[in-house]
Amino acid sequence: MVTISEYYEGKTVLITGATGFMGKVLLEKLLRSCPGVKTAYVLVRSKAGQAPHQRVADMVNCKLFDRLREEQPDFAEKIVAMNSDLTLPELDLSKEDQETLADNVNIVFHCAATIRFNEPLKDAVQLNVLATQKMVALAHKIKQLEVFIHVSTAYANCDRKLIEEVVYPPPVDYKKLVDTLDWMDDKLVSVMTPKLIGERPNTYTYTKALAEYLVQQEGGNLNVAIIRPSIVGASWIEPFPGWIDNFNGPSGIFIAAGKGILRTMRASNNAVADLVPVDVVINTTLAAAWYSGSQRHNRPRTMLVYNCTTGGINPFHWGEVEYCVNTIFKTNPLEQAFRRPNVNLRSNPFTNQYWTTVSHTLPALLYDGYLRLTGQKPRMMKTIKRLHKAMMVLEYFTSHSWVWNTDNVTMLMNQMSPDDRKMFNFDVRQLHWAEYMENYCMGTKKYVLNEELSGLPAARKHLTKLRNIRYTFNTLLVVVLWRVFIARSQMARNIWYFVVNLCFKFLSYFRASSTLRH
């Protein structure tokens, strides 16, 4: 078999979702490690008054592409932005663009999807199911298509404890569901959604399962492979450690913990935190396309599915995540922290609710009251509400564990040459979690919050100041409460005098012992 880089030599690829987190990393890695790629077409819609080519030009100017820019200064010439909206008929592509894609594309990477877990069902179906259907229809028109890669999620079948590398039939026929949603009004759909999604926690996982089945049913003679990543996090190695550019998923939770805003969260310390670095997912994706594309003439009858997860190979638990986040942000704090980082995971919902009120709501109300008194706009309760909304969405995933079969991922790795295994590394057995978490947390500081490392000394001083304020406040609170209690109870006064007397005697004994030793 040819090497991965050789396989992509002279190939033309089509990428959806190229402006998203995973899409950017896919585009950068493909052009950097496979310099022989002929053209990369990217489907991009106009947004906020920006034309597709402007959005792509802005995207390739970000730090993620620095290494590629240094190695291949003219790389952007290979990227061709096409105006497209995946929710519109025929993807809103012009006839000319459709013909260009049909005549030239060899490989399709369908990464586009809505990643909002609580998206209304109609919107989720439109973006995750119908958009996929249109991409499959387009793929059938492509004359020299070698492989179609569909990026799904490892949680598409989270209603099962053991998830094999197969496509499971969904609980409803997606065609009937689409027809039904057409005549239903939004209010009725909202009422019906919990019954439709069943044991799945949200519309995201539900529609991703439908999309997988759709690809299997409508793929026909297409050479299709499905990639199922779990919780995608910052980069492990490439293009540099810790790159992240968004607040989605765990990143926002880590930042909230680092700022001292997040103090308690519903999670099981023993549940597996199935984080997977984004470069691991992308390397798996590129390798899967290489394998399916180069084996297309004697491919297996069943569609290849890759569970791109870490829990079964190199498990890392939410309790360990808690420890790492607290430790890292105390050593390398974020600027202008609200309180010292000290998040605690609690599996009991009642205990968590109590600490949510005490540690989140009350301090936020007090701080907003202070802001009002000083003539400033209150903002902390708004932040806390957004945080609670994000935590509720993640609660299901932080409180459960799954077992994923990864035989196909192992097979894929074994098919690769030693050089390809280094260049397109997705062997998570080599992943050192403590080091990865440090890079991840520092990545949120540098690339999401845009904080310079030169500001660390000042941030550490601020954290020390917060600690001193906390100790002083707690001491004064205890003294005031105790004095109030003593003033009203003879028994409390007796206990107080006994404790003081005992402390005095202990100090006297300690002093006498020290004198006798000398």
Side-chain angles (χ1 to χ4, degrees):
M1 291 173 69
V2 295
T3 65
I4 294 178
S5 183
E6 287 171 347
Y7 170 71
Y8 285 101
E9 190 88 30
K11 295 288 195 297
T12 295
V13 302
L14 171 63
I15 303 172
T16 67
T19 57
F21 176 50
M22 283 178 52
K24 289 177 196 172
V25 181
L26 172 64
L27 184 61
E28 190 277 340
K29 174 64 177 177
L30 176 66
L31 295 177
R32 177 167 50 82
S33 296
C34 306
V37 167
K38 184 181 177 184
T39 309
Y41 289 108
V42 294
L43 301 188
V44 185
R45 64 188 173 91
S46 298
K47 187 178 179 182
Q50 272 195 315
H53 68 275
Q54 290 174 315
R55 291 184 65 195
V56 171
D58 288 348
M59 177 186 75
V60 299
N61 280 326
C62 77
K63 187 173 176 58
L64 174 69
F65 291 86
D66 282 357
R67 183 175 165 188
L68 174 59
R69 193 177 296 106
E70 191 178 309
E71 294 176 12
Q72 301 174 44
D74 301 326
F75 77 92
E77 294 175 5
K78 294 181 181 180
I79 304 170
V80 179
M82 284 189 167
N83 187 34
S84 173
D85 188 331
L86 273 60
T87 63
L88 297 177
E90 295 189 325
L91 306 167
D92 200 30
L93 286 166
S94 67
K95 291 294 181 187
E96 184 185 346
D97 285 346
Q98 287 184 46
E99 287 173 11
T100 300
L101 295 176
D103 291 339
N104 296 289
V105 170
N106 306 115
I107 303 159
V108 174
F109 294 102
H110 179 42
C111 306
T114 175
I115 55 169
R116 290 178 187 160
F117 286 177
N118 52 357
E119 192 86 72
L121 184 59
K122 267 191 178 183
D123 295 339
V125 167
Q126 186 73 246
L127 292 159
N128 291 343
V129 182
L130 295 178
T132 301
Q133 187 177 45
K134 290 164 193 159
M135 284 303 300
V136 171
L138 175 65
H140 279 295
K141 297 175 185 176
I142 297 173
K143 298 167 186 174
Q144 300 174 61
L145 186 67
E146 296 182 8
V147 60
F148 182 98
I149 298 291
H150 173 66
V151 179
S152 182
T153 172
Y155 297 102
N157 302 286
C158 58
D159 54 330
R160 299 171 178 269
K161 284 294 178 187
L162 172 63
I163 301 168
E164 303 280 356
E165 291 177 305
V166 296
V167 175
Y168 293 98
V172 298
D173 184 335
Y174 66 90
K175 291 179 181 176
K176 289 180 180 177
L177 177 66
V178 169
D179 291 341
T180 304
L181 291 177
D182 273 345
W183 61 262
M184 273 190 184
D185 62 34
D186 292 344
K187 192 174 181 181
L188 184 56
V189 172
S190 181
V191 172
M192 291 291 293
T193 296
K195 292 179 181 178
L196 286 169
I197 66 176
E199 293 182 18
R200 288 182 175 85
N202 50 51
T203 57
Y204 172 73
T205 56
Y206 179 69
T207 53
K208 291 300 272 185
L210 293 177
E212 283 190 7
Y213 190 69
L214 181 150
V215 169
Q216 185 189 58
Q217 294 300 300
E218 300 191 11
N221 62 348
L222 295 178
N223 187 14
V224 179
I226 295 176
I227 312 295
R228 287 182 183 155
S230 47
I231 303 171
V232 183
S235 59
W236 170 26
I237 298 168
E238 293 182 284
F240 43 84
W243 185 79
I244 183 80
D245 73 341
N246 60 75
F247 289 90
N248 297 332
S251 305
I253 298 297
F254 294 169
I255 290 169
K259 287 282 188 182
I261 298 169
L262 176 63
R263 315 295 287 179
T264 183
M265 183 173 172
R266 176 100 189 274
S268 170
N269 282 287
N270 298 321
V272 174
D274 212 295
L275 295 170
V276 59
V278 64
D279 47 336
V280 167
V281 180
I282 296 310
N283 286 338
T284 306
T285 302
L286 291 171
W290 156 79
Y291 180 73
S292 290
S294 55
Q295 295 287 307
R296 62 189 181 280
H297 298 301
N298 54 349
R299 63 183 182 183
R301 290 183 181 180
T302 55
M303 185 186 299
L304 283 171
V305 178
Y306 299 91
N307 285 337
C308 190
T309 60
T310 58
I313 305 162
N314 185 0
F316 189 54
H317 302 89
W318 285 111
E320 295 171 284
V321 173
E322 173 202 293
Y323 174 79
C324 286
V325 170
N326 285 334
T327 305
I328 292 160
F329 282 130
K330 281 176 183 174
T331 309
N332 301 297
L334 300 178
E335 293 175 11
Q336 296 301 309
F338 179 60
R339 296 166 77 184
R340 276 174 62 80
N342 189 27
V343 62
N344 289 283
L345 305 184
R346 294 179 171 90
S347 55
N348 187 300
F350 301 106
T351 309
N352 183 62
Q353 187 56 51
Y354 167 76
W355 283 108
T356 297
T357 305
V358 171
S359 299
H360 290 175
T361 309
L362 289 178
L365 288 170
L366 288 170
Y367 187 67
D368 278 352
Y370 164 77
L371 290 175
R372 281 193 181 95
L373 288 172
T374 55
Q376 299 176 67
K377 188 178 178 182
R379 60 177 183 272
M380 191 51 69
M381 268 309 295
K382 190 177 179 181
T383 303
I384 287 294
K385 284 177 181 176
R386 280 210 315 266
L387 178 62
H388 288 172
K389 196 174 178 182
M391 287 194 304
M392 282 177 66
V393 165
L394 286 174
E395 198 173 280
Y396 179 86
F397 304 98
T398 57
S399 303
H400 296 81
S401 293
W402 292 265
V403 177
W404 282 280
N405 182 302
T406 55
D407 288 348
N408 285 344
V409 174
T410 305
M411 176 277 296
L412 182 62
M413 199 183 303
N414 291 335
Q415 293 293 328
M416 294 161 65
S417 68
D419 286 342
D420 276 349
R421 280 201 289 270
K422 288 178 185 175
M423 186 176 286
F424 299 88
N425 185 16
F426 53 88
D427 186 356
V428 294
R429 293 173 298 181
Q430 301 170 17
L431 181 60
H432 185 254
W433 283 111
E435 183 184 350
Y436 173 71
M437 283 301 297
E438 183 171 1
N439 289 329
Y440 194 160
C441 290
M442 294 307 291
T444 61
K445 179 179 175 69
K446 289 188 285 186
Y447 310 123
V448 180
L449 300 177
N450 296 313
E451 295 181 4
E452 297 292 335
L453 295 183
S454 58
L456 274 174
R460 290 186 183 119
K461 280 183 183 178
H462 178 69
L463 222 56
T464 304
K465 182 182 171 184
L466 290 175
R467 184 196 62 190
N468 294 340
I469 291 171
R470 180 189 167 202
Y471 286 168
T472 304
F473 176 79
N474 288 350
T475 304
L476 290 171
L477 186 65
V478 168
V479 169
V480 169
L481 289 174
W482 185 245
R483 290 301 296 169
V484 170
F485 187 57
I486 286 172
R488 298 189 176 196
S489 167
Q490 181 62 45
M491 182 182 288
R493 280 197 294 273
N494 292 339
I495 293 170
W496 173 256
Y497 294 139
F498 173 75
V499 170
V500 170
N501 192 38
L502 195 67
C503 290
F504 179 74
K505 285 181 179 178
F506 176 76
L507 288 170
S508 300
Y509 173 76
F510 180 76
R511 205 174 288 157
S513 300
S514 301
T515 307
L516 285 171
R517 274 196 216 103
H518 293 299

